Amino acid sequence: MGAPAVTIDDVVAARARIAGDVVRTPLLPASWAPGDLWLKAENLQPIGAFKLRGALNAIGRLHPDDRARGVVTHSSGNHGQAIAWAARAVGVPAVVVMPDGAMAVKVEAIRRLGAEIVMAPGERREIEAEAVRAGRGMTLIPPFDHADVIAGQGTLALEALDDLDDIDTVLVPIGGGGLISGVGVAVTSLSPRTRVVGVEPELAADARDSLASGRRVEWDARSTYSTIADGTRTPVVGEITFPLIQATVDEIVTVSEDEILAAVAVLARRAHLVAEPSGALSVAAHLAAPGRYGRAVAVLSGGNIDPSVLARALALPS
């Protein structure tokens, strides 16, 4: 086995690189929740999600000549917003390829940030992004399977470890694996007693199956697209992220659609925090088994929720 794609040194360097632009989000005690739960509130980033960390680090690492030609990505929303925000901050063009049917709130947010949007069928996002890269000479920064993106995402774990002692478990949502890979590298390097537990929807549990089988297991996109947690619809974890998941993640658990919506509702009502379904996954896991994780940090990964979904969650009995 070769050297890992991302090391703790990469995460520490990323923290210094992005410090002037990213928000050092608070670690909030969830005194309303059973057990000992703390929330890493990444919904408070300027774009409403953790993705800004990886985008800033990846663009910051580009050679100035490459950066000047601009960047392209494919994204269902939050990574696209992050790339658009980071590109605007340094004055370079950005193109975001989005899937048909992407949430309107996320499409509009990217448009407001000045990026060019290209819509494509979900299964063709990567193909279209590669065509833009080849045709315009831009640099492709994928949403999760990229070492600089992973290192940037891991910086939130450095903050959490600084802010709280004796963490038993960090609960992390999983889509393509970029966030949990970066968190896993940081946590296992600096606090090896702390468990890293991934959380996926039952309807998109490809990472759980991959970790259990020792190989990347791809789910049918028609299944993964049925979950309300749109940030986790990636049908298979990345080639770079999977070995890091294997090396640093202790377990992956799943939650139901009802549990996800209930977590969105309780976060709004009790924590006064707006979380999108993908962002609420880790809280859903804790609420489903509050005595299981000890002193737990739940990464609240994003808050860019469709208003109709928030209304649906808040209509649930309290």
Side-chain angles (χ1 to χ4, degrees):
M1 182 180 293
V6 178
T7 68
I8 186 60
D9 290 342
D10 297 321
V11 180
V12 171
R15 183 180 191 175
R17 186 173 297 113
I18 70 177
D21 297 297
V22 76
V23 171
R24 192 188 194 287
T25 55
L27 189 65
L28 303 172
S31 56
W32 46 267
D36 190 357
L37 178 65
W38 296 72
L39 307 176
K40 182 59 172 167
E42 287 294 295
N43 60 318
L44 301 180
Q45 291 292 347
I47 62 146
F50 75 96
K51 292 280 192 177
L52 187 59
R53 297 173 182 271
L56 284 166
N57 191 52
I59 290 177
R61 288 264 293 157
L62 290 176
H63 186 280
D65 291 343
D66 294 328
R67 188 184 306 127
R69 286 191 290 271
V71 292
V72 57
T73 194
H74 50 89
S75 168
S76 63
N78 285 340
H79 177 68
Q81 288 183 65
I83 289 294
W85 194 98
R88 186 179 69 172
V90 296
V92 301
V95 176
V96 181
V97 180
M98 301 191 72
D100 295 335
M103 288 189 179
V105 65
K106 295 185 177 182
V107 175
E108 181 55 31
I110 292 172
R111 184 172 287 116
R112 284 198 306 268
L113 288 168
E116 177 185 345
I117 296 173
V118 175
M119 304 302 294
E123 67 275 10
R124 287 192 55 84
R125 286 186 302 171
E126 295 184 36
I127 296 169
E128 294 297 331
E130 174 58 27
V132 172
R133 183 206 64 77
R136 305 195 198 181
M138 291 177 151
T139 296
L140 176 64
I141 301 178
F144 55 86
D145 215 26
H146 188 287
D148 294 333
V149 170
I150 293 166
Q153 318 304 27
T155 61
L156 70 84
L158 301 183
E159 296 171 6
L161 291 169
D162 284 347
D163 289 347
L164 187 64
D165 294 329
D166 301 322
I167 301 171
D168 295 311
T169 308
V170 180
L171 293 160
V172 189
I174 301 183
L179 173 58
I180 199 167
S181 295
V183 169
V185 168
V187 170
T188 56
S189 299
L190 300 178
S191 183
R193 66 166 293 274
T194 302
R195 299 179 76 239
V196 178
V197 175
V199 188
E200 282 186 305
E202 291 175 353
L203 297 180
D206 57 286
R208 177 203 62 189
D209 290 353
S210 297
L211 186 62
S213 67
R215 61 181 179 83
R216 293 166 68 230
V217 175
E218 183 170 355
W219 276 40
D220 190 315
R222 288 171 296 183
S223 174
T224 63
Y225 266 70
S226 64
T227 179
I228 198 170
D230 64 301
T232 67
R233 290 172 178 167
T234 305
V236 63
V237 293
E239 294 181 3
I240 296 173
T241 62
F242 183 54
L244 292 169
I245 291 170
Q246 288 181 297
T248 66
V249 175
D250 295 278
E251 183 184 9
I252 297 174
V253 300
T254 61
V255 289
S256 70
E257 298 296 289
D258 287 345
E259 287 170 332
I260 296 168
L261 273 180
V264 170
V266 77
L267 282 163
R269 291 178 179 137
R270 302 297 302 277
H272 313 293
L273 292 169
V274 174
E276 61 192 278
S278 303
L281 286 169
S282 53
V283 173
H286 175 85
L287 294 177
R292 186 177 178 205
Y293 302 109
R295 169 168 277 193
V297 169
V299 178
L300 204 168
S301 58
N304 296 312
I305 190 169
D306 187 300
S308 66
V309 175
L310 180 58
R312 179 178 161 194
L314 292 175
L316 296 172
S318 57

